[in-house]
Amino acid sequence: MGARFTGGNRHGRIRWSTHCRVTECEPPHRFTFVVTESRTAWGWILEPAGDGATTVVAWREKVGEATLPVRLLQRSGILGRDRETLMRDGLERSLDRVKEIVEQ
C-alpha cells in the first residue's frame, strides 16, 4: 500500500494523466487506488466463481472534494455533461480490456 503510479486517460481526442496512490492491495483478491486530482477511489474485487472462472467487481466512490482545476473542467462540459455515464462507460471498457487480456 502507498505505492504511486500515473494513470492515463482519454476521451475522444483529449488525453490526460492522473496521479494515483494505492490504498488497498490484497493479491489476488482486492486492489484499490485513489486519484489525487478527483479524490475518487477506484477498486477491483476478484472472487472465484467456480470452474476456474472469476467474477470481477469494479467500483468507484468519491472520497473527498476534487481539486479546483478538476471541478472547473467537469463544469465546463468539455468531457461531456453526463459524468456518471462517462465514468460507467470507462469502467466497462476497462473491464472488457481486462477480460480480453485474461482470455488470451
Side-chain angles (χ1 to χ4, degrees):
M1 287 196 329
R4 297 181 183 275
F5 65 93
T6 301
N9 300 273
R10 70 178 181 195
H11 181 68
R13 299 167 88 180
I14 302 171
R15 296 177 186 271
W16 68 97
S17 297
T18 55
H19 301 90
C20 308
R21 182 177 48 84
V22 175
T23 56
E24 184 177 33
C25 184
E26 297 174 17
H29 306 288
R30 296 179 69 89
F31 179 73
T32 306
F33 63 93
V34 173
V35 177
T36 301
E37 293 83 358
S38 66
R39 306 292 198 277
T40 302
W42 296 80
W44 303 76
I45 301 169
L46 291 84
E47 300 171 336
D51 296 332
T54 300
T55 298
V56 179
V57 177
W59 57 271
R60 69 180 172 81
E61 69 178 333
K62 292 189 66 61
V63 294
E65 186 175 27
T67 61
L68 180 59
V70 170
R71 292 193 317 267
L72 293 173
L73 180 64
Q74 290 170 343
R75 288 182 193 140
S76 76
I78 291 172
L79 298 178
R81 294 277 179 204
D82 186 354
R83 298 278 306 149
E84 185 61 31
T85 297
L86 178 68
M87 297 291 102
R88 190 172 34 253
D89 289 350
L91 196 52
E92 288 176 12
R93 281 194 308 275
S94 293
L95 286 169
D96 289 343
R97 284 195 302 266
V98 168
K99 183 178 180 191
E100 285 177 25
I101 292 168
V102 170
E103 291 179 346
Q104 288 181 357

